[in-house]
């Protein structure tokens, strides 16, 4: 079924196609977005046995105003590690037809992005690849007419090699390239939401692209029991259908406000990602669209409306279930009109129905009208808003939670009652410029220089900041200052600052190779003070050039090159088998000098399951007991800090499986990279062990040498050891 531009105008409620653009411009949506991923392959099998057909771009419903072409990736590791895009010929489009269809969507005011990665892509870029990758993105963009790139890295690819620094650096180059032409190259991301906690695996991408990215569309699916803890509500899991509205609201509220342990993403840059139907993802499908409408309206009522929705995928929206019945593009019918027009479906017959009656948060001291935005309608009587009665009151001068009860009757005396929670809140003041700093012995120091305190409700509170502690600029040492400020809602914010007075003989804030630095952090290195402009780790100040991450602040600092220091780890296997929910690792830490080694092990959602500091000089065995764990991918990290020198970090990944399987008798061929393996094929790995190719959707990885059984750290994504 082909959609034309007239249908686009009707679907989006436009009076005319006045916003169409020429093909050589980059299309950027102004308001709400409905993002749909498009498959660059045919006939994908679903989680419930359905089928996702291949479709052309012109068949995609016009209410999808952003289409992400999936995927840009490494198709053959023998061709190098720079990802690229290749159009799958089985779709039935020539490259020119594909280019023409992107141009058509652009002329309709719709954006087409190239998505990088995907679940089965092994992307592993290394430091120095920044310009080569940027050049390939520009080449692909200019060839096909893409409007931007979506980072859709998953599994091991998120942290593989130097991806966290190389990919953002390359995208900054690309964005700057097109800005010089007066175009905005869209940059978006699709992280799995557990990676968005503070310190999560996707945060380096977001912080490094601060000011460059256009929106984030997290995946709120396939995470099963992962969720969020809400004070007073308890644990709300992503796959709890009964609490679906609560999950959508609270996880979004946490992200847009940087609360409950999550990294902050502005509300106008947050797009909520959900699967199209039960075949598209294992969990996360929203069975009742009203749950999403309600949560979105709650956020809108508190002045933080989200940018839109994302879905995997347009192909599944046009797909069929296990019985061959069409899904009928129900996703875009449910959410397209809502996002573009913010109008939920009309009420059903029977009792009156409320709309706009959602839980709401009101800022302390602001006016609140309990009737504002609330409507009631009845199938027979029509609009009955004027008959609404509200029981209860809200004092916006007192922080707390209030309950209002709304009731309305129709002409048949059918009554509907619905309660509403109203929270009066106040954002705590935030400090700016309170950073640890090293100053030269005898130099002047004003603790308030560059410091500000800003409150969302009260404005600038800098004059009310209280500083406890003192710094003696004439005595070498480290001093602690405590900054405090209280707003009109009696909320106090506190921040601690370390001030080091140095004569150059010691260096409390010396640059460390293994430490993560964020924009604004300052370090001493090679006798100078340097400031990081964005997220960085491992890049040495003074070596990144004029446009690199480090900027010299002044020539006052400390630090000299450290002597050579070697640190290594051995004994980590690719796979371990659970024994009563536990496994034991026996590793050897080897250090060329006396050093303190911090060893941690994290599971796939970054939860620490082992944490220990040991002293090492030479070879030192270490037993690591992991208890009460589940099968999955784990990350081992050891940070060795010598008594005199720079720290060294070693990271390894390994898999934990449920139980070992006795291989069937027989002789099995050696694994061959590039061979087309099918589900169930059995081979002998380079380690002499027997492996079996996993079922769909992992089967396609078996031929990729990046998943060679028993050889790479990623083999367990594609193979089962027998």
């Amino acid at each position: 079924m082909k959609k034309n531009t007239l249908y686009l105008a009707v679907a989006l409620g436009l009076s005319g196609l006045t916003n169409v653009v020429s093909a050589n411009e980059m299309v950027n949506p102004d308001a709400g977005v409905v993002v749909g991923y498009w498959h660059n392959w045919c006939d994908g099998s679903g989680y419930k046995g359905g089928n996702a057909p291949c479709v052309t771009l012109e068949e995609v419903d016009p209410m999808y105003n952003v289409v992400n072409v999936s995927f840009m990736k490494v198709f053959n590791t023998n061709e190098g590690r720079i990802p690229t895009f290749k159009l799958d010929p089985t779709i039935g489009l020539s490259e020119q037809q594909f280019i023409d269809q992107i141009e058509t969507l652009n002329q309709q005011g719709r954006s087409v992005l190239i998505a990088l990665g995907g679940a089965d892509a092994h992307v592993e870029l290394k430091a120095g690849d920044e310009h080569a990758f940027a050049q390939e993105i520009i080449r692909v963009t200019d060839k096909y007419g893409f409007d931007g790139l979506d980072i859709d890295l998953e599994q091991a690819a998120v942290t593989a090699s130097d991806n966290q620094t190389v990919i953002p650096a390359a995208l900054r180059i690309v964005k700057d390239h097109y800005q010089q032409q007066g175009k905005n190259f869209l940059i978006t991301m699709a992280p799995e939401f557990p990676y968005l906690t503070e310190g999560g695996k996707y945060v380096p991408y977001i912080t490094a692209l601060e000011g460059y990215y256009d929106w984030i569309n997290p995946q709120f699916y396939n995470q099963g029991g992962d969720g969020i803890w809400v004070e007073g509500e308890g644990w709300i899991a992503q796959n709890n259908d009964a609490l679906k509205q609560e999950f959508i609201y609270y996880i979004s509220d946490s992200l847009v406000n940087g609360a409950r342990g999550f990294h902050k993403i502005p509300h106008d840059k947050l797009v909520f990602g959900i699967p199209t139907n039960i075949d598209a993802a294992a969990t996360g499908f929203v069975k009742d669209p009203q749950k999403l409408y309600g949560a979105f309206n709650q956020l809108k009522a508190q002045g933080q409306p989200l940018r839109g929705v994302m879905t995997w995928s347009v192909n599944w929206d046009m797909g069929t279930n296990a019985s061959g019945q069409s899904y009928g593009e129900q996703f875009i019918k449910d959410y397209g009109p809502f996002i573009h027009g913010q109008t939920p479906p009309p009420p059903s017959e029977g009792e009156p129905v409320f709309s706009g009656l959602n839980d709401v948060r009101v800022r302390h001291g602001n006016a609140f009208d309990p009737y504002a935005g609330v409507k009631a309608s009845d199938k027979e009587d029509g609009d009955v808003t004027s008959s609404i009665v509200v029981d209860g009151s809200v004092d916006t001068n007192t922080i707390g939670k209030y309950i209002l009860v709304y009731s309305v009757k129709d002409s048949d005396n059918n009554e509907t009652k619905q309660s509403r929670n109203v929270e009066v809140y106040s954002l705590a003041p935030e400090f700016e410029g309170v950073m640890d700093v090293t100053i030269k012995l005898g130099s002047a120091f004003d603790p308030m220089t560059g410091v500000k305190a800003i409150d969302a409700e009260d404005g600038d509170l800098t004059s009310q900041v209280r500083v406890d502690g003192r710094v003696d600029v004439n005595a070498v040492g480290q001093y602690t200052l405590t900054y405090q400020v209280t707003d009109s809602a009696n909320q106090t914010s506190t921040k601690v600052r370390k001030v080091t007075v140095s004569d150059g003989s010691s260096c409390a804030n010396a640059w460390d190779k293994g430490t993560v630095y964020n924009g604004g952090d300052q370090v001493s290195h090679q006798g100078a003070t340097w400031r990081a402009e964005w997220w960085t780790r491992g890049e040495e100040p003074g070596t990144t050039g004029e446009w690199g991450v480090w900027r010299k602040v002044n020539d006052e600092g400390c630090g000299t090159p450290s002597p050579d220091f070697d640190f290594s780890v051995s004994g980590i296997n690719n796979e371990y088998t659970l024994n009563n929910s536990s496994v034991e690792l026996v590793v050897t830490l080897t250090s060329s000098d006396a050093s303190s080694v911090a060893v941690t092990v994290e599971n796939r959602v970054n939860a620490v399951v082992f944490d220990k500091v040991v002293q090492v000089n030479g070879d030192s065995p270490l037993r690591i007991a992991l208890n009460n764990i589940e099968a999955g991918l784990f990350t081992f990290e050891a940070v060795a800090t010598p008594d005199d020198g720079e720290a060294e970090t070693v990271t390894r990944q390994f898999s934990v499986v449920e139980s070992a399987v006795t291989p069937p008798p027989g002789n099995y061929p050696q694994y061959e990279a590039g061979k087309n393996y099918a589900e169930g094929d059995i081979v002998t790995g380079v380690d002499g062990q027997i492996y079996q190719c996993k079922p769909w959707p992992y089967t396609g990885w078996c031929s990729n040498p990046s998943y060679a059984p028993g050889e790479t750290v990623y083999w367990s994504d594609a193979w089962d050891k027998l």
Side-chain angles (χ1 to χ4, degrees):
M1 123 180 113
K2 303 210 174 175
K3 312 290 197 312
N4 56 33
T5 52
L6 175 61
Y7 179 69
L8 173 74
V10 174
L12 302 188
L14 304 175
S15 58
L17 293 175
T18 57
N19 292 325
V20 296
V21 296
S22 61
N24 61 356
E25 296 179 8
M26 284 185 170
V27 176
N28 289 193
D30 312 343
V33 298
V34 180
V35 182
Y37 286 82
W38 178 87
H39 297 189
N40 183 35
W41 62 86
C42 288
D43 298 320
S45 298
Y47 283 85
K48 299 296 182 181
N51 180 71
C54 51
V55 298
T56 62
L57 289 176
E58 65 181 4
E59 293 178 278
V60 177
D61 191 290
M63 284 190 286
Y64 287 107
N65 60 340
V66 179
V67 177
N68 289 349
V69 171
S70 309
F71 290 102
M72 184 182 194
K73 60 183 182 179
V74 177
F75 289 82
N76 186 342
T77 54
N78 294 326
E79 297 175 357
R81 59 175 176 264
I82 304 300
T84 189
F85 174 72
K86 297 179 182 180
L87 180 66
D88 189 335
T90 62
I91 293 171
L93 289 175
S94 68
E95 282 205 330
Q96 188 56 52
Q97 289 173 321
F98 182 68
I99 292 169
D100 291 343
Q101 291 192 8
I102 292 177
E103 180 179 350
T104 298
L105 266 62
N106 280 173
Q107 290 176 335
Q108 297 171 351
R110 301 160 69 191
S111 304
V112 182
L113 280 63
I114 181 67
L116 170 68
D120 67 344
H122 178 61
V123 177
E124 189 173 3
L125 295 166
K126 299 185 182 297
D129 289 339
E130 294 86 352
H131 286 278
F133 184 38
Q135 289 169 0
E136 181 61 14
I137 295 173
I138 292 170
R139 186 193 72 80
V140 168
T141 298
D142 289 345
K143 177 178 180 178
Y144 293 100
F146 293 123
D147 302 299
L149 180 142
D150 176 75
I151 303 173
D152 190 14
L153 300 178
E154 299 182 25
Q155 302 181 56
V158 179
T159 56
S161 195
D162 299 316
N163 284 350
Q164 290 177 315
T165 54
V166 172
I167 291 174
L171 286 172
R172 290 195 299 270
I173 294 171
V174 174
K175 188 128 183 172
D176 290 344
H177 167 81
Y178 286 111
Q179 281 183 337
Q180 292 175 2
Q181 302 176 21
K183 303 174 182 177
N184 180 57
F185 179 87
L186 291 167
I187 297 176
T188 67
M189 306 178 212
E192 295 166 276
F193 84 88
Y195 293 164
L196 292 175
T197 54
E198 282 298 349
K201 293 182 180 180
Y202 249 88
V203 173
Y205 295 94
I206 297 173
T207 54
L209 287 167
E210 197 72 47
Y212 279 78
Y213 77 82
D214 292 87
W215 67 77
I216 313 291
N217 31 233
Q219 302 176 33
F220 297 102
Y221 46 90
N222 286 338
Q223 294 93 14
D226 281 320
I228 185 171
W229 175 268
V230 179
E231 193 69 33
E233 299 284 344
W235 182 254
I236 304 177
Q238 170 259 307
N239 60 345
N240 187 334
D241 290 326
L243 297 177
K244 183 61 70 175
Q245 178 169 334
E246 289 81 355
F247 172 76
I248 296 173
Y249 168 73
Y250 281 115
I251 193 68
S252 299
D253 177 77
S254 299
L255 287 166
V256 301
N257 291 300
R260 305 182 184 95
F262 282 87
H263 185 79
K264 184 174 183 178
I265 300 172
H267 68 90
D268 58 348
K269 293 181 180 290
L270 181 60
V271 175
F272 202 90
I274 50 178
T276 310
N277 46 51
I278 58 174
D279 261 311
T283 61
F285 175 61
V286 180
K287 296 179 180 179
D288 181 2
Q290 295 285 346
K291 303 278 191 179
L292 185 138
Y293 302 157
F296 269 46
N297 284 330
Q298 285 179 261
L299 294 159
K300 183 178 180 181
Q302 69 188 41
Q304 294 177 312
L306 301 192
R307 185 73 183 272
V309 295
M310 172 274 279
T311 193
W312 178 266
S313 63
V314 297
N315 301 69
W316 274 115
D317 209 9
M318 303 169 74
T320 54
N321 64 19
S323 301
Q325 298 171 317
S326 172
Y327 279 115
E329 299 183 86
Q330 192 60 48
F331 182 92
I332 197 63
K333 292 175 183 176
D334 285 334
Y335 299 109
F338 176 73
I339 295 300
H340 295 306
Q342 293 288 282
T343 53
S348 57
E349 296 185 20
E351 298 176 350
V353 175
F354 286 110
S355 63
L357 189 53
N358 308 296
D359 293 347
V360 64
R361 300 173 78 223
V362 183
R363 281 189 177 177
H364 176 257
N366 284 9
F368 171 68
D369 179 358
Y371 292 95
V374 178
K375 294 182 179 180
S377 56
D378 184 76
K379 187 69 175 179
E380 294 80 16
D381 299 341
D383 190 343
V384 292
T385 303
S386 60
S387 300
I388 295 175
V389 176
V390 180
D391 183 20
S393 62
V394 175
D395 179 4
T396 60
N397 291 314
T398 304
I399 293 177
K401 292 185 177 181
Y402 302 83
I403 298 177
L404 300 179
V405 178
Y406 290 70
S407 59
V408 64
K409 292 182 179 181
D410 63 13
S411 59
D412 297 326
N413 211 33
N414 293 316
E415 183 178 24
T416 298
K417 284 191 175 184
Q418 189 170 333
S419 63
R420 181 188 203 184
N421 295 315
V422 180
E423 180 185 359
V424 177
Y425 74 102
S426 175
L427 296 177
E430 294 184 355
F431 284 105
E432 297 177 5
V434 180
M435 297 178 293
D436 293 349
V437 66
T438 295
I439 62 175
K440 190 175 181 181
L441 180 68
S443 63
F445 174 69
D446 181 351
M448 287 302 298
T449 298
V451 173
K452 289 184 178 180
I454 305 296
D455 185 75
E457 292 80 27
D458 300 338
D460 193 335
L461 296 178
T462 305
S463 62
Q464 299 179 37
V465 173
R466 188 182 74 191
V467 183
D468 293 328
R470 60 180 294 274
V471 175
D472 185 351
V473 298
N474 296 311
V476 172
Q478 188 177 77
Y479 301 86
T480 300
L481 299 179
T482 301
Y483 292 73
Q484 282 193 338
V485 66
T486 302
D487 64 12
S488 61
N490 204 34
Q491 296 183 116
T492 299
S493 293
T494 302
K495 194 155 189 179
V496 176
R497 181 184 201 183
K498 301 292 184 183
V499 179
T500 301
V501 178
S502 173
D503 61 1
S505 62
S506 62
C507 200
N509 67 330
W511 171 74
D512 175 66
K513 182 179 180 180
T515 298
V516 171
Y517 298 101
N518 295 306
D521 288 349
Q522 294 190 8
V523 299
S524 287
H525 187 63
Q526 299 286 12
T529 298
W530 305 81
R531 182 183 67 248
E533 297 301 301
W534 54 79
W535 185 96
T536 182
R537 180 176 62 187
E539 296 179 279
E540 182 179 0
T543 67
T544 60
E546 180 182 1
W547 306 108
V549 63
W550 291 104
R551 298 287 186 273
K552 182 183 285 189
V553 176
N554 56 54
D555 289 320
E556 297 178 356
C558 53
T560 57
S562 61
D564 290 340
F565 168 65
D566 292 323
F567 174 70
S568 62
V569 177
S570 59
I572 298 180
N573 300 329
N574 288 325
E575 182 180 277
Y576 296 87
T577 302
L578 280 174
N579 181 11
N580 294 324
S581 300
S582 300
V583 298
E584 184 178 74
L585 287 66
V586 180
V587 303
T588 300
L589 310 176
T590 303
S591 174
S592 61
D593 299 307
S595 59
S596 174
V597 182
V599 178
T600 58
V601 178
E602 295 182 353
N603 62 20
R604 67 177 298 272
V605 294
N606 298 334
V608 176
V609 294
F610 180 86
D611 187 4
K612 187 174 183 179
V613 177
V614 295
Q615 302 303 312
V616 178
N617 190 0
D619 291 339
S620 179
L622 174 65
R623 290 185 177 273
I624 300 174
L626 307 182
N627 300 315
N628 299 317
I629 62 171
E630 297 179 351
L633 187 66
F634 289 76
T635 300
F636 167 96
E637 182 177 85
V639 180
T641 305
D643 295 339
D644 183 18
E646 297 176 357
E648 292 285 346
T649 301
V650 173
T651 302
R652 298 283 188 272
Q653 288 190 315
F654 60 90
S655 296
V656 174
V657 297
E658 291 287 353
S659 60
V661 180
T662 302
N667 295 318
Y668 300 99
Q670 290 288 325
Y671 170 78
E672 297 179 40
K675 183 176 179 179
N676 188 21
Y677 289 102
E679 175 185 340
D681 283 351
I682 301 176
V683 300
T684 302
V686 294
D687 57 356
Q689 301 296 313
I690 307 301
Y691 298 85
Q692 185 174 52
C693 183
K694 285 187 175 183
W696 187 92
Y698 311 104
T699 309
W701 306 351
C702 294
S703 63
N704 192 323
S706 297
Y707 300 90
E711 181 177 356
T712 73
V713 296
Y714 309 109
W715 68 261
S716 60
D717 289 340
W719 298 87
D720 290 320
K721 182 187 288 187
L722 300 182

